[in-house]
């Protein structure tokens, strides 16, 4: 088996490697706490001479249970898989989280899904991971069932940074406050988004700052402001400065990510870019004149270049899926 294999509910049983080890979790953001669980699965896989997979759920169970509550996801499904592919895992098992899955008892999940369908030989989980109907499945249930079923179980404690537990919700909060360094410390690398470059109002071009515009998920609660960013287009990397917000000087419209790439010439329309947020520079402001705005953009660019020069290798470690 080569590359990073994705196993879904529709994958024929004959194509599923028996005896694999799984790291179970939702893995939103694939942060340091998740990586501890993944590392435990990789160690177990090596000891068993078996491949290690992430086992995750899509859509995120929170979205299923609270469809009307906005869910700021740190990584969509595609980027979650790319992050998982960058960890050294052999692949991912992506289970569809729907009414049927939500109604499956923890025991049925263990016996039917983990043992019957996947034939797992080991499971790594975080201390707070729950599964099965009513969240009845817990790390302690796995620990008690494991020996009887001949499955090795590894439960990872929380990972702390400066005595604060790393969690997806703590990272969301940091991003909402513009605490980019704090989010990156918990993620183990910069937070990033991906999107297709769309046509905008072309104002940046007239200001001497042509931007690549990307519409982010409507639930993205990243703080509005100006950021130093590193942008990936395939294997290429570009440094730049970006604005995320409503453009109060012009129209106060829907939030938009506008990225200006330094020293770049060319057409980006239709390209899919990965935008990694390296530093927060300032809040979004309304300017009284275009000249004042341009002077501020010159200053923002200088600050962004400085921050990027201080972090020359900062970019998420992404693998290739498939």
């Amino acid at each position: 088996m080569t590359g990073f294999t994705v196993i879904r509910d529709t994958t024929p049983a004959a194509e599923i490697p028996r005896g694999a080890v799984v790291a179970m979790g939702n893995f939103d953001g694939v942060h340091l706490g998740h990586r501890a669980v993944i590392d435990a699965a990789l160690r177990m896989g090596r000891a068993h001479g078996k491949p290690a997979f992430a086992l995750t759920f899509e859509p995120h169970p929170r979205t299923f249970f609270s469809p009307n509550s906005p869910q700021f996801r740190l990584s969509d499904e595609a980027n979650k898989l790319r992050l998982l592919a960058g960890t050294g895992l052999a692949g991912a098992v992506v289970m569809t989280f729907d009414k049927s899955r939500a109604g499956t008892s923890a025991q049925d999940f263990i016996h039917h899904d983990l043992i019957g369908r996947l034939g797992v030989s080991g499971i790594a989980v975080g201390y707070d991971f729950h599964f099965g109907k009513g969240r009845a499945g817990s790390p302690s249930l796995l620990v008690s069932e494991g020996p009887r079923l001949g499955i090795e179980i590894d439960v990872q404690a929380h990972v702390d940074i400066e005595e604060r537990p790393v969690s997806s919700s703590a990272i969301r909060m940091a991003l909402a406050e513009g605490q980019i360094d704090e989010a990156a410390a918990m993620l183990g690398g910069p937070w990033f988004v991906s999107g297709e470059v769309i046509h905008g109002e072309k104002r940046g071009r007239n200001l001497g700052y042509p931007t690549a515009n990307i519409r982010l998920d409507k639930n993205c609660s990243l703080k509005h402001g100006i950021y130093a960013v590193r942008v990936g287009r395939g294997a290429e990397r570009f440094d730049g400065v970006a604005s995320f917000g409503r453009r109060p000087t012009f129209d106060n419209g829907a939030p938009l990510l506008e990225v200006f790439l330094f020293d770049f010439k060319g057409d980006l329309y239709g390209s899919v870019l990965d935008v990694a947020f390296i530093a927060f520079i300032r809040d979004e402001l309304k300017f009284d004149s275009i000249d004042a705005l341009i002077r501020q953009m010159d200053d923002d660019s200088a600050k962004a270049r400085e921050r990027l020069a201080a972090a020359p290798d900062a970019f998420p470690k992404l693998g290739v899926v498939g």
Side-chain angles (χ1 to χ4, degrees), residues 5 8 13 16 25 39 41 56 60 66 78 80 95 97 104 110 117 139 146 184 191-192 218-219 232 240 244-245:
T5 306
R8 298 188 182 273
I16 298 172
D39 287 345
T56 190
H60 194 295
S66 308
K80 177 166 77 170
M95 293 186 170
F97 200 89
T104 300
I110 292 169
R117 180 158 162 79
W191 180 69
F192 81 107
K218 68 179 190 302
N219 296 324
F244 177 60

Side-chain angles (χ1 to χ4, degrees), residues 83-102:
L83 285 163
L84 290 169
T87 64
L89 288 166
V93 180
V94 180
M95 293 186 170
T96 303
F97 200 89
D98 54 14
K99 191 176 179 183
S100 165
R101 183 82 62 203

Side-chain angles (χ1 to χ4, degrees), residues 3 37 183 239 249 284:
V37 176
D239 284 357
T249 304
E284 187 173 44

Side-chain angles (χ1 to χ4, degrees), residues 12-318:
E15 292 175 23
I16 298 172
R18 306 296 290 178
V21 167
V22 292
M24 285 207 304
N26 291 314
F27 298 119
D28 188 24
V30 192
H31 58 58
L32 293 182
H34 298 144
R35 285 167 195 269
V37 176
I38 289 164
D39 287 345
L42 288 166
R43 285 193 301 272
M44 206 188 288
R46 282 194 292 273
H48 293 200
K50 295 289 185 181
F53 285 74
L55 190 162
T56 190
F57 303 90
E58 287 292 341
H60 194 295
R62 254 202 338 266
T63 307
F64 173 82
F65 288 117
S66 308
N68 300 318
S69 301
Q71 307 286 352
F72 171 24
R73 283 191 58 162
L74 298 175
S75 44
D76 61 18
E77 180 180 347
N79 281 340
K80 177 166 77 170
L81 291 173
R82 292 168 77 204
L83 285 163
L84 290 169
T87 64
L89 288 166
V93 180
V94 180
M95 293 186 170
T96 303
F97 200 89
D98 54 14
K99 191 176 179 183
S100 165
R101 183 82 62 203
T104 300
S105 73
Q107 288 287 358
D108 276 356
F109 182 75
I110 292 169
H111 290 274
H112 178 264
D113 293 298
L114 297 180
I115 296 173
R117 180 158 162 79
L118 299 175
V120 302
S121 65
I123 301 168
V125 288
Y127 71 102
D128 59 349
F129 184 72
H130 288 77
F131 60 94
K133 186 177 180 181
R135 290 168 55 83
S138 63
S140 57
L141 175 69
L142 289 171
V143 167
S144 67
E145 293 283 284
R148 192 168 62 78
L149 300 168
I151 298 172
E152 187 179 348
I153 307 293
D154 186 308
V155 179
Q156 288 292 306
H158 52 78
V159 172
D160 295 346
I161 292 181
E162 292 173 359
E163 297 179 9
R164 288 177 57 197
V166 171
S167 70
S168 298
S169 53
I171 296 165
R172 285 185 202 103
M173 204 175 299
L175 292 170
E177 293 168 358
Q179 305 287 346
I180 293 298
D181 293 348
E182 198 175 307
M186 290 188 276
L187 285 164
W191 180 69
F192 81 107
V193 294
S194 302
E196 185 178 331
V197 177
I198 58 173
H199 288 271
E201 298 291 330
K202 314 285 193 287
R203 288 194 199 98
R205 191 179 295 175
N206 301 329
L207 303 174
Y209 282 92
T211 58
N213 301 321
I214 297 171
R215 187 80 62 200
L216 301 189
D217 185 284
K218 68 179 190 302
N219 296 324
C220 175
S221 55
L222 174 70
K223 183 181 174 76
H224 289 181
I226 309 301
Y227 294 86
V229 295
R230 183 157 289 129
V231 176
R233 180 175 66 172
E236 299 175 285
R237 299 285 178 267
F238 307 99
D239 284 357
V241 62
S243 161
F244 177 60
R246 297 181 178 277
R247 305 159 303 287
T249 304
F250 296 106
D251 62 1
N252 248 344
L256 187 67
L257 178 64
E258 300 172 281
V259 184
F260 171 67
L261 300 183
F262 303 140
D263 316 312
F264 176 83
K265 296 263 188 297
D267 182 0
L268 290 167
Y269 292 118
S271 297
V272 174
L273 303 181
D274 296 319
V275 182
F277 293 79
I278 309 301
F280 178 78
I281 293 176
R282 64 170 175 84
D283 287 354
E284 187 173 44
L285 300 170
K286 182 174 182 176
F287 293 89
D288 296 332
S289 72
I290 297 301
D291 285 347
L293 171 61
I294 292 171
R295 277 197 303 277
Q296 183 63 58
M297 287 162 80
D298 292 342
D299 185 56
D300 295 339
S301 295
K303 285 197 173 88
R305 283 184 187 271
E306 206 174 283
R307 295 299 299 269
L308 290 158
D313 302 317
F315 201 75
K317 188 178 179 188
L318 304 171

